[in-house]
């Protein structure tokens, strides 16, 4: 076979990667000492020394590379980090080491709990909610007058957007931007009887101490965001900043096409606004209510109403907990996915269902899986969560292990449920032509739970 000609630098990289792959700690150490540039170099299919050592279970080499300041974030051509690779190949001690990060990283304390689910769509806390200000009506009124305050407008729970993606933090598939209106544009709607105004928070980071009192006219430098909602077409009343603005026609799929920061704001705003639109009257006595706490509370107007005594959760925005689970075959090599009739052709997803009163998350998982697929589930492990503002669910994502494998679907809810092999799932994630099914979109926690199981960088 003819020898490949390589330049000396490429040859050195290849040798270095080879030592890492074989677990030769001495050679890895001496090569980095002489040529520090080697540490984050990658070779075939984007594999770095850290990935190769993680793949082959070379704990000491991984430790050495980390001590020398190796970057843990690069991904190979299959979108896996070194951490994903260590998990995928079952080297738990290396995965723990890799997710531990720097000394100050709090994951050190609970290494097994590490998941990057905080980066999920709808999970970005772009605003500081500043809840301590919700009862400060003077501050709220001043913020509503401030020239830099942002107002987001919703009509029937659909936000006003422009069809231009945000450049600063968008992913490739973000195609809408929330219209950030200023006071003069929304003036006619403020105080209108059919509109609801809620205080969402201020832009992070805080630029002054949270409880600094603000005298009249004095600015604390915080940019406040409000959501303004109406059930009547506001087109005549509002001055749109540009002709491209339009309300989303339907929540899906439009709400999945925002930048990650704006999706986080919508997750908060839409759920609170949906609660206002459904709870206009007191659920205890049917009387009218007043909006308090910057839109985060409704108080009954009838003196003597039971809801005014003690704490009534009906006075506060509601959240519905939903368990969503990837059920794993008892042998560990297959997972159970189902499809509803409304899913796009070929798509399968995790089973899910509302948690019932008096139920733990674990019991909710076992009951929903039994009802929907006839499969019995044993151990359940929490993975991560995601607000899902359609209208106000909190998705509680779990992995669960099946005790039985025979499938018997509840045809009222699920059209089909099937066991898929790990390889079939991997094929679906890399969109191979021969994939036998397609995954839910990356914005859904179901997508995350599936990729997390096969040890892939879930957000890519
Ligand atoms: N982000 C994601 O990846 C996914 C999100 N979801 C969300 O989870 C939610 C629940 O999943 P499903 O399979 O529909 O639940 P499910 O399996 O409990 O069945 C839904 C039925 O449960 C009843 N129900 C019980 N409590 C309810 C409540 N608080 N609100 C409304 N209906 C209630 C209704 O009859 C409803 O038709 C869905 O609304 C969906 O938006 C579901 C799957 C994936
Ligand atoms: Mg369900
Ligand atoms: Mg169900
Ligand atoms: Mg249910
Ligand atoms: Zn009442």
């Amino acid at each position: 076979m003819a020898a490949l000609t390589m330049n000396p630098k490429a040859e050195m990289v290849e040798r270095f990667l080879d030592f890492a792959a074989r677990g030769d700690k001495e050679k890895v150490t001496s090569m980095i000492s002489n040529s520090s540039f080697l540490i984050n170099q990658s070779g075939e299919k984007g594999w770095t020394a850290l990935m190769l050592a993680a793949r082959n279970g070379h704990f000491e080499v991984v430790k050495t590379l980390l001590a020398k300041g190796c970057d843990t974030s690069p991904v190979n051509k299959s979108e896996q980090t070194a951490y994903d690779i260590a998990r995928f190949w079952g080297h738990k001690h290396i995965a723990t080491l890799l997710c531990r990060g720097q000394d100050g990283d709090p994951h050190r304390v609970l290494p097994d709990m590490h998941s990057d689910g905080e980066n999920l769509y709808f999970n970005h806390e772009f605003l500081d909610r500043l809840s301590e200000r919700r009862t400060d009506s003077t501050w709220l009124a001043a913020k509503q007058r401030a020239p830099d305050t942002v107002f987001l407008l919703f009509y029937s729970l659909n936000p006003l957007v422009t069809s231009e993606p945000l450049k600063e933090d968008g992913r490739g598939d973000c195609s809408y931007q929330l219209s950030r209106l200023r006071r003069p544009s929304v003036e006619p709607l403020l105080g209108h009887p059919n509109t609801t105004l809620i205080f969402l928070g201020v832009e992070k980071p805080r630029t002054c101490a949270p409880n600094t009192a603000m005298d009249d006219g004095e600015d604390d430098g915080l940019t406040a965001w409000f959501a303004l909602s109406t059930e009547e077409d506001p087109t005549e009343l509002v001055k749109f900043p540009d002709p491209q603005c339009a309300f989303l026609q339907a929540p899906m799929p439009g709400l999945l096409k925002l930048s990650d920061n704006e999706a986080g704001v919508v997750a908060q705003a839409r759920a609170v606004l949906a609660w206002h639109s459904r709870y206009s009257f007191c659920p205890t006595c049917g009387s009218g209510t007043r909006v308090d706490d910057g839109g985060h509370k409704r108080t009954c107007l009838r003196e003597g109403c039971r809801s005014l005594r003690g704490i009534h959760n009906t006075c506060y925005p509601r959240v519905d907990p939903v368990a969503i689970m990837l059920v794993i075959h008892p042998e560990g090599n297959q997972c159970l996915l189902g499809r509803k009739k409304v899913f796009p052709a070929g798509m399968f997803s995790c089973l899910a269902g509302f948690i019932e009163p008096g139920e733990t998350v674990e019991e909710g998982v076992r009951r929903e899986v039994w009802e929907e697929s006839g499969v019995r589930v044993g151990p359940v492990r929490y993975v991560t969560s995601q607000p899902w503002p359609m209208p106000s669910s909190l998705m509680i994502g779990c992995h669960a292990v099946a005790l039985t494998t025979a499938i018997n679907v509840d045809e009222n809810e699920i059209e089909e449920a099937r066991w898929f092999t790990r390889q079939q799932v991997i094929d679906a994630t890399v969109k191979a032509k021969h994939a036998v099914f397609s995954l839910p979109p990356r914005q859904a926690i179901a997508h995350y739970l599936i990729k997390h199981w096969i040890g892939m960088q879930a957000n890519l």
Side-chain angles (χ1 to χ4, degrees):
M1 199 177 18
L4 284 172
T5 44
M6 265 188 194
N7 69 42
K9 189 176 158 195
E11 212 171 283
M12 191 196 282
V13 171
E14 281 307 311
R15 263 194 301 130
F16 175 67
L17 294 176
D18 191 48
F19 287 136
R22 286 197 274 129
D24 192 332
K25 182 180 149 189
E26 270 70 48
K27 289 278 174 19
V28 166
T29 311
S30 72
M31 285 191 82
I32 298 172
S33 305
N34 294 329
S35 316
S36 59
F37 80 93
L38 285 170
I39 195 156
N40 293 317
Q41 293 294 310
S42 57
E44 207 194 336
K45 296 190 177 164
W47 284 65
T48 62
L50 189 67
M51 292 173 191
L52 291 163
R55 159 68 183 86
N56 294 337
H58 298 310
F59 186 80
E60 287 301 322
V61 174
V62 171
K63 226 163 102 178
T64 303
L65 289 166
L66 290 177
K68 301 268 179 202
C70 181
D71 184 1
T72 55
S73 63
V75 291
N76 64 15
K77 291 215 169 116
S78 303
E79 300 177 340
Q80 296 169 299
T81 61
Y83 167 76
D84 297 327
I85 292 164
R87 282 193 65 238
F88 185 88
W89 292 99
H91 303 304
K92 202 175 159 200
H93 54 313
I94 293 182
T96 301
L97 190 65
L98 286 165
C99 78
R100 197 180 284 169
Q102 307 303 314
D103 274 354
D105 185 344
H107 287 121
R108 240 179 48 238
V109 183
L110 292 172
D112 284 348
M113 292 286 288
H114 181 77
S115 92
D116 53 357
E118 293 106 58
N119 295 326
L120 265 167
Y121 195 77
F122 287 131
N123 286 16
H124 289 243
E125 285 271 352
F126 168 62
L127 299 177
D128 181 339
R129 294 174 185 235
L130 224 63
S131 52
E132 65 270 27
R133 286 295 199 192
R134 287 176 190 161
T135 48
D136 186 343
S137 49
T138 313
W139 185 86
L140 288 173
K143 282 299 170 196
Q144 285 172 44
R145 291 191 304 271
D148 59 347
T149 291
V150 174
F151 293 88
L152 304 177
L153 186 57
F154 289 75
Y155 168 35
S156 293
L157 301 180
N158 292 319
L160 187 70
V161 294
T162 52
S163 52
E164 214 178 285
L166 259 189
K167 290 188 183 70
E168 69 211 36
D169 69 342
R171 290 171 184 265
D173 54 357
C174 117
S175 43
Y176 293 121
Q177 186 183 151
L178 295 174
S179 296
R180 301 180 186 189
L181 306 178
R182 306 291 164 178
R183 168 91 187 204
S185 304
V186 296
E187 188 82 56
L189 275 179
L190 288 171
H192 198 275
N194 294 328
T195 60
T196 308
L197 182 72
I198 60 171
F199 169 60
L200 298 171
V202 296
E203 286 178 22
K204 292 177 185 171
R206 291 182 186 192
T207 52
C208 73
N211 289 320
T212 311
M214 192 176 66
D215 296 334
D216 244 6
E218 193 188 326
D219 187 10
D220 59 10
L222 299 172
T223 302
W225 285 47
F226 289 84
L228 193 58
S229 162
T230 165
E231 301 287 332
E232 286 168 24
D233 189 347
T235 321
E236 299 295 308
L237 291 172
V238 177
K239 293 181 201 129
F240 289 165
D242 71 71
Q244 307 288 2
C245 290
F247 290 100
L248 282 183
Q249 289 302 300
M252 295 290 255
L255 285 186
L256 301 186
K257 293 184 174 178
L258 297 165
S259 74
D260 288 348
N261 281 342
E262 292 199 337
V265 176
V266 166
Q268 178 193 0
R270 194 170 194 274
V272 178
L273 294 174
W275 170 71
H276 281 293
S277 78
R278 289 160 187 223
Y279 287 74
S280 331
F281 294 95
C282 172
T284 306
C285 76
S287 302
T289 52
R290 177 183 76 228
V291 175
D292 286 333
D293 293 8
H296 294 265
K297 186 174 180 186
R298 292 188 85 102
T299 308
C300 181
L301 292 171
R302 189 178 68 83
E303 213 180 309
C305 173
R306 252 185 314 124
S307 73
L308 300 175
R309 292 196 300 274
I311 292 180
H312 280 247
N313 65 0
T314 53
C315 301
Y316 297 92
R318 313 301 317 133
V319 176
D320 294 309
V322 176
I324 179 159
M325 44 277 170
L326 184 70
V327 178
I328 301 160
H329 194 276
E331 284 164 16
N333 55 352
Q334 294 179 57
C335 67
L336 181 68
L337 299 174
R339 55 169 282 113
K340 293 188 176 190
K341 286 191 191 78
V342 295
F343 284 2
M347 189 182 107
F348 280 76
S349 184
C350 294
L351 304 179
F354 289 99
I355 294 184
E356 296 194 350
E359 202 169 47
T360 62
V361 173
E362 290 81 356
E363 285 165 350
V365 166
R366 294 190 186 103
R367 178 186 50 73
E368 283 289 348
V369 174
W370 169 248
E371 286 173 6
E372 296 184 3
S373 70
V375 168
R376 289 287 183 197
V377 158
V380 173
R381 178 177 289 175
Y382 169 76
V383 177
T384 196
S385 63
Q386 178 190 42
W388 191 250
M390 327 289 177
S392 51
S393 295
L394 174 66
M395 307 303 297
I396 303 169
C398 298
H399 282 168
V401 183
L403 300 175
T404 63
T405 57
I407 293 172
N408 178 19
V409 293
D410 167 11
E411 281 167 12
N412 290 323
E413 194 182 339
I414 302 283
E415 187 181 67
E416 190 185 354
R418 268 202 256 161
W419 292 104
F420 290 92
T421 65
R422 188 180 272 266
Q423 190 56 52
Q424 287 172 326
V425 173
I426 292 170
D427 289 347
T429 64
V430 294
K431 300 197 169 49
K433 281 202 187 87
H434 54 280
V436 294
F437 76 104
S438 63
L439 290 178
R442 69 146 184 102
Q443 295 88 338
I445 188 174
H447 181 104
Y448 178 88
L449 291 171
I450 295 168
K451 277 199 173 174
H452 196 63
W453 171 59
I454 55 169
M456 290 180 99
Q457 183 72 4
N459 290 303
L460 293 171

